[in-house]
């Protein structure tokens, strides 16, 4: 899953960006529980690997049906449909309306042996069965 703007690299690394909203029905391309490589860069040029991720949710809906929280997970600086439409028009280079279909893809970074999971598997800290 690639992002063109390097602005997103910092948001992705910090965990502030945990979703992407793509114009059109992309449910054939993205599936829940799918592992993806998250990258930043332009087509036909060098791309930077940010991290591996698992897709937590893939949901197709109309722009007008996106919640402020959906939009915020895509762009931490925005919560309004109007700002999202303006952004999508810049990215895709064509008019976007609130009746257009988009795909909301929520994702989580995959981390090698995170301490909390490793400790839980060993029965250290937190709730134990």
């Amino acid at each position: 899953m690639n992002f063109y703007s390097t602005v997103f690299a910092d948001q992705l690394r910090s965990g502030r960006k945990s979703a992407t909203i793509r114009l059109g029905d992309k449910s054939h391309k993205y599936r829940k529980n799918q592992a993806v490589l998250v990258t930043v860069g332009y087509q036909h040029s060098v791309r930077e690997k940010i991290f591996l991720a698992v897709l937590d949710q893939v949901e197709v809906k109309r722009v007008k049906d996106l919640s402020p929280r959906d939009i915020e997970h895509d762009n931490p600086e925005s919560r309004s449909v109007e700002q999202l439409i303006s952004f999508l028009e810049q990215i895709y280079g064509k008019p976007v309306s609130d009746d257009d279909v988009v795909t909301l893809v929520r994702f989580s970074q995959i981390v090698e042996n995170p301490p909390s999971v490793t400790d839980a598997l060993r029965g250290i800290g937190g709730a134990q069965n």
Side-chain angles (χ1 to χ4, degrees):
M1 185 164 45
N2 188 61
F3 296 90
Y4 289 131
S5 176
T6 54
V7 171
F8 294 130
D10 290 335
Q11 292 176 345
L12 289 160
R13 280 190 203 94
S14 69
R16 293 178 59 225
K17 181 172 179 64
S18 59
T20 184
I21 296 172
R22 305 283 167 113
L23 191 58
D25 181 345
K26 306 295 183 192
S27 59
H28 63 281
K29 183 175 182 179
Y30 302 112
R31 291 186 189 84
K32 184 177 179 179
N33 296 323
Q34 177 183 3
V36 297
L37 178 62
V38 175
T39 59
V40 172
Y42 293 102
Q43 191 172 4
H44 307 296
S45 66
V46 174
R47 299 183 194 194
E48 178 185 0
K49 174 184 170 183
I50 306 299
F51 53 69
L52 289 173
V54 64
L55 303 185
D56 298 315
Q57 177 185 17
V58 178
E59 191 174 0
V60 177
K61 44 171 82 173
R62 300 216 177 272
V63 171
K64 65 184 174 189
D65 296 327
L66 291 167
S67 72
R69 191 162 182 83
D70 292 337
I71 296 168
E72 181 185 22
H73 284 285
D74 174 65
N75 182 352
E77 313 303 324
S78 174
R79 286 184 174 205
S80 78
V81 168
E82 294 77 19
Q83 288 175 315
L84 174 66
I85 287 173
S86 175
F87 178 74
L88 290 173
E89 288 177 339
Q90 288 177 342
I91 296 292
Y92 291 95
K94 65 181 186 178
V96 175
S97 80
D98 62 357
D99 279 325
D100 281 329
V101 170
V102 293
T103 303
L104 170 66
V105 181
R106 298 279 312 266
F107 53 87
S108 298
Q109 182 178 0
I110 298 171
V111 180
E112 299 287 328
N113 302 316
S116 59
V117 173
T118 305
D119 289 349
L121 291 172
R122 293 183 183 144
I124 302 170
Q128 297 177 14
N129 292 335

